[in-house]
Amino acid sequence: MTQITVQRWTPAAIAFALAIAVVLAVLAAGPLIFPAGFTERLTALFVYVILGAMWNALAGYSGLVSVGQQAFFGLGAFVAILLSNAGVPVYAALLLAALAVGVLSLPIGEVMLRLRGGEFAIGMWVLAELAHLLVNLDPLVNGETGTSLIALDAVPAAARRADTYWCALAAMTALLGIVFLLLRGRIGASLQAVRDDEQAAASVGVRVLATKRVVFVLAAAGCALAGALWLATAITFQPRAYFSVQWTAYMIFITLVGGIGTFEGPVLGAVIFFAVETLFGALGVWYLVGLGAAALLFALFAPRGLWGAAQRRYDLRLLPLGFHVVLPTTGRIIR
Amino acid sequence: MPDADTLLDARGIGKRFNALTVLSDVDFAIRAEEAVGIVGPNGAGKTTLLNVLSGAMPADAGHILFAGQDVSRLDAPARCRRGIGRSHQIPRPFGGMTVFENLLVAARTGGNAHGAAAYDRCVDSLRLCGMLPFANRRAEALALLDRKRLELARALATAPRLLLLDEIGGGLTDAEAAELVDIIRVIRGRGVAVVWIEHIVHVLVQVVGRLVCMDGGRVIADGPPDTVLRDAAVIDAYLGSAAHDHPVG
């Protein structure tokens, strides 16, 4: 019988997508209308959104809990410096660095993705420490002395600020778009099946390793792009600052508070993290303790995060990642 | 020798878990559109045989031909794509997804269906298994019996030529068991071969034309249900003891 239909886009979803388009259009004019300091802060926000979206794609949709994503963040910045020093135009170097780290993550994934659960998490942490040590060995970096993105240092501050802002906005938009299309398509459903039960997923035809590989490479390239963009705002590169586990702690906070396993959650989480950092960042160690405690409390008492809880409570289905079966007899969606 | 009608032909299957031999030299064949029941005491190796046939675990010895091709070295996803579907004894739903989405993954990957054809197959499987009203429910919110039905519906969505069922009838009331028998008959009517492990023999014999009894990792009887159920070795190994543990009809 054909009266049963499968609904994806709803009027509310279309309205929400249009609202996102308007927000992005306003943000695109950012450097022309915002004060310099705010433009710089928003660039940081875009990087946080990327980090949150990548970690959520790994942990929330694929069950891959990584505590070593800073490996790719640091490698992205490092490779960007190498490429720039080799004569690649600096903004092209940021993108190429992300792609190069994505390629590098393929052989890494072959090893890491054979590990399960906690083994994978620890394996990724070891990988991050290893990457940090190897980068320290480079004579250019010279241990923790570090280096800087010299090519960008030569550009006037105002132009640099605006260009980096636009790059970060474009990167965030593109990566969110890719994650959206990925999760909405065949791979997204297969990923969630693998997350929920690997053996059952294999039994219905899902190629488990190949499916995980897609999201692992995407998250590696995305985190590398975030690291390269961070380098473009900070100019200086000290390995300790980029390979710090705090980056993964930020990703976890953003994802858990916003709503793990929801597409919109990490965006909300990044905005909250951004606000908290702006208000309390000066408190130093206590700020970090507060972040950790908040993430812990969310994990224990509100495991769906803010967006997940709101979605349940108000029955929101905004961006259409799932499938809803509409039965004709009542004309409404059964649940 | 297998005739042209043979869908699956497993020869000399052996499986060990460390020192424990779970399957030894098991031969098992099934013709297209045939329905075979597997019975035997707990620990006989029934579920392990299903795991080996579906590719969930590799056999240590023996060969498996499916539709004339050697699938011994193929993993579970590859065998599923060729037409071997299965359900699990303890249901393994994709808890974070809706019931419909559980089936959609199966239809699109194992069943290689696209777009509207995939939707139609899922709706059809849900309707057949009486799960349509739960289509939008998250699988983790289902009760045990509905999880078992989801196992069956999800396996069907892969469009199998051979369906391996592992105790989907346990815990059902008589009315529910009758419904299940009707569902399996419909599935058989579509030309799907069925291997069904079940302790409830009186339900099983309503569907299957052949019964295999296993004990201690071996096949001890294989033939028409009446003959197998009267076999002295079967009564000794299974029915005698099972009369106390299990309803055998």
Side-chain angles (χ1 to χ4, degrees):
Chain A
M1 290 190 227
T2 52
Q3 308 115 301
I4 291 172
T5 54
V6 176
Q7 190 183 47
R8 305 208 75 186
W9 286 99
T10 59
I14 292 166
F16 188 64
L18 288 175
I20 292 172
V22 170
V23 169
L24 287 174
V26 172
L27 287 175
L32 309 177
I33 50 179
F34 299 143
F38 191 58
T39 303
E40 243 163 47
R41 292 292 294 141
L42 277 182
T43 306
L45 171 62
F46 300 155
V47 170
Y48 296 154
V49 171
I50 294 173
L51 292 177
M54 293 304 120
W55 203 79
N56 182 47
L58 280 175
Y61 281 98
S62 321
L64 295 167
V65 177
S66 163
V67 291
Q69 281 308 102
Q70 69 273 18
F72 301 119
F73 186 85
L75 285 173
F78 176 63
V79 174
I81 288 179
L82 293 185
L83 289 171
S84 172
N85 287 351
V88 177
V90 66
Y91 284 106
L94 305 185
L95 183 62
L96 285 175
L99 296 176
V101 172
V103 172
L104 181 67
S105 75
L106 270 169
I108 295 172
E110 288 311 298
V111 179
M112 291 298 160
L113 293 177
R114 285 167 208 280
L115 306 175
R116 299 274 170 87
E119 294 174 354
F120 173 80
I122 292 166
M124 289 300 296
W125 191 7
V126 171
L127 173 80
E129 293 300 313
L130 198 63
H132 182 184
L133 291 173
L134 287 175
V135 167
N136 272 6
L137 289 179
D138 188 312
L140 173 79
V141 175
N142 192 19
E144 289 298 339
T145 314
T147 179
S148 59
L149 193 59
I150 302 155
L152 207 52
D153 211 15
V155 179
R160 191 175 76 207
R161 190 182 309 118
D163 289 349
T164 304
Y165 174 95
W166 278 314
C167 279
L169 179 62
M172 176 189 77
T173 309
L175 283 168
L176 287 178
I178 290 170
V179 170
F180 177 71
L181 291 176
L182 189 77
L183 294 181
R184 194 177 139 79
R186 295 167 78 95
I187 293 176
S190 294
L191 277 173
Q192 294 175 68
V194 168
R195 172 197 65 193
D196 289 346
D197 192 323
E198 266 187 33
Q199 191 182 320
S203 83
V204 299
V206 176
R207 294 188 184 101
V208 174
L209 188 63
T211 307
K212 284 181 179 176
R213 195 183 285 136
V214 173
V215 78
F216 186 79
V217 170
L218 172 67
C223 287
L225 189 52
L229 287 165
W230 196 262
L231 173 72
T233 62
I235 306 295
T236 58
F237 177 80
Q238 273 187 304
R240 193 189 298 134
Y242 285 78
F243 287 99
S244 164
V245 74
Q246 78 177 28
W247 291 106
T248 295
Y250 292 169
M251 295 181 216
I252 296 173
F253 176 91
I254 289 168
T255 307
L256 287 184
V257 171
I260 189 167
T262 67
F263 178 80
E264 300 89 340
V267 179
L268 177 65
V271 172
I272 291 168
F273 174 71
F274 175 76
V276 169
E277 188 194 42
T278 307
L279 291 174
F280 303 113
L283 296 180
V285 171
W286 286 108
Y287 156 71
L288 292 173
V289 170
L291 278 186
L296 196 66
L297 288 174
F298 266 90
L300 287 174
F301 301 110
R304 295 177 209 291
L306 291 174
W307 189 267
Q311 231 177 9
R312 281 253 157 143
R313 179 144 189 186
Y314 302 107
D315 192 30
L316 293 174
R317 277 188 307 278
L318 292 180
L319 286 178
L321 291 172
F323 298 81
H324 288 267
V325 181
V326 186
L327 293 191
T329 46
T330 57
R332 52 182 273 271
I333 296 165
I334 6 168
R335 68 194 72 262
Chain B
M1 277 303 289
D3 52 40
D5 234 13
T6 302
L7 180 59
L8 178 128
D9 188 20
R11 292 291 174 103
I13 300 298
K15 182 71 188 172
R16 304 170 67 90
F17 296 127
N18 298 320
L20 185 69
T21 301
V22 187
L23 295 174
S24 59
D25 201 26
V26 170
D27 293 338
F28 180 84
I30 181 168
R31 284 181 286 111
E33 307 192 17
E34 195 184 7
V36 179
I38 301 183
V39 295
N42 292 327
K46 307 185 295 294
T47 294
T48 305
L49 177 61
L50 224 64
N51 283 337
V52 167
L53 294 180
S54 69
M57 46 179 70
D60 298 329
H63 290 279
I64 302 168
L65 291 180
F66 181 72
Q69 289 181 309
D70 190 341
V71 298
S72 311
R73 301 176 73 91
L74 296 183
D75 61 7
R79 289 193 209 180
C80 179
R81 286 161 195 250
R82 288 183 182 222
I84 302 180
R86 71 165 295 177
S87 74
H88 298 90
Q89 182 181 358
I90 296 164
R92 309 185 74 126
F94 305 134
M97 306 171 77
T98 69
V99 167
F100 181 78
E101 288 162 358
N102 266 258
L103 267 68
L104 195 60
V105 174
R108 282 168 157 188
T109 55
N112 196 32
H114 299 262
Y119 293 166
D120 287 347
R121 186 183 296 163
C122 296
V123 168
D124 176 66
S125 293
L126 288 176
R127 180 181 285 123
L128 177 60
C129 300
M131 290 292 285
L132 207 46
F134 303 119
N136 295 315
R137 190 168 294 182
R138 277 164 79 97
E140 67 191 358
L142 295 177
L144 177 63
L145 289 182
D146 289 327
R147 288 177 183 223
K148 290 199 170 199
R149 282 198 240 194
L150 173 59
E151 280 287 327
L152 178 59
R154 191 175 64 188
L156 271 183
T158 65
R161 295 174 66 191
L162 170 63
L163 185 58
L164 309 172
L165 302 175
D166 196 353
E167 292 194 31
I168 51 166
L172 296 186
T173 64
D174 286 349
E176 288 163 343
E179 268 177 44
L180 182 60
V181 165
D182 288 342
I183 293 170
I184 309 280
R185 282 186 175 141
V186 172
I187 295 168
R188 285 206 60 200
R190 294 175 178 184
V192 178
V194 175
V195 175
W196 188 0
I197 296 176
E198 195 61 73
H199 282 301
I200 318 169
V201 178
H202 71 279
V203 171
L204 200 53
V205 295
Q206 293 176 47
V207 178
V208 302
R210 204 179 109 210
L211 212 51
V212 168
C213 185
M214 293 180 69
D215 184 35
R218 295 173 182 277
V219 172
I220 58 167
D222 182 347
D226 288 347
T227 316
V228 168
L229 291 174
R230 280 199 299 268
D231 187 291
V234 172
I235 292 168
D236 187 42
Y238 178 53
L239 297 177
S241 66
H244 303 291
D245 306 345
H246 304 287
V248 291

